[in-house]
Amino acid sequence: MKIYNKKGLILGIILAALGVFILISKIVLPEKFLPEQIKEIAIAVLAILMGISGFIRAFSKQLTKEDQIEDSDERNRLLTLKTKSLTLKILYGCLAVSAIGSGAAYKLTANTTWIPVLTVSAILIGFLLLVELFVSIYYERRT
């Protein structure tokens, strides 16, 4: 058998193995809270099915070609770019609100428990700005 989609094969194997691991762990070590156990078993079964699907699609020439066409579709790429852009904007906003809110809460209450929240928020904002700068420089050099 020839493998047409190595990435799909690896992803399928990983998903199936993860699903089997979760399923076995939930059977061997059951939770006391039944709805939680049912939810995790359902997730495990879903992961196994997705893994088997990816595994089967990796060996089919026609299905691999369909996957490649869908991956290279401009509408899907545009949707992915817009989704990631909006996600990053929302993350910036949440971190800014967290940093400003925790800074204001520390000033108002003088409670030192707000300092770690402020520090982590500020570090993450700085990290995101650095990543954005490096990515911008990378794409400026490529074009």
Side-chain angles (χ1 to χ4, degrees), residues 4-64:
Y4 294 102
N5 187 355
K6 291 180 184 176
K7 184 175 81 171
L9 176 69
I10 292 170
L11 185 64
I13 290 172
I14 290 172
L15 274 174
L18 181 67
V20 168
F21 175 74
I22 292 171
L23 189 63
I24 290 172
S25 69
K26 290 302 154 191
I27 291 173
V28 172
L29 301 169
E31 299 225 5
K32 293 179 181 176
F33 190 55
L34 185 62
E36 182 73 24
Q37 185 175 358
I38 292 171
K39 180 184 85 169
E40 294 200 9
I41 288 175
I43 290 172
V45 170
L46 183 65
I48 291 170
L49 292 175
M50 288 174 59
I52 291 171
S53 171
F55 187 79
I56 292 171
R57 292 180 81 84
F59 289 105
S60 171
K61 187 174 187 177
Q62 181 183 4
L63 293 176
T64 299

Side-chain angles (χ1 to χ4, degrees), residues 92 95 119-134:
Y92 270 132
L95 285 173
T119 306
V120 170
S121 298
I123 289 172
L124 287 175
I125 288 173
F127 179 71
L128 283 174
L129 289 172
L130 281 174
V131 168
E132 186 176 1
L133 177 69
F134 289 139

Side-chain angles (χ1 to χ4, degrees), residues 103-127:
Y106 174 70
K107 284 291 185 185
L108 292 174
T109 63
N111 190 350
T112 58
T113 57
W114 291 106
I115 292 175
V117 177
L118 174 63
T119 306
V120 170
S121 298
I123 289 172
L124 287 175
I125 288 173
F127 179 71

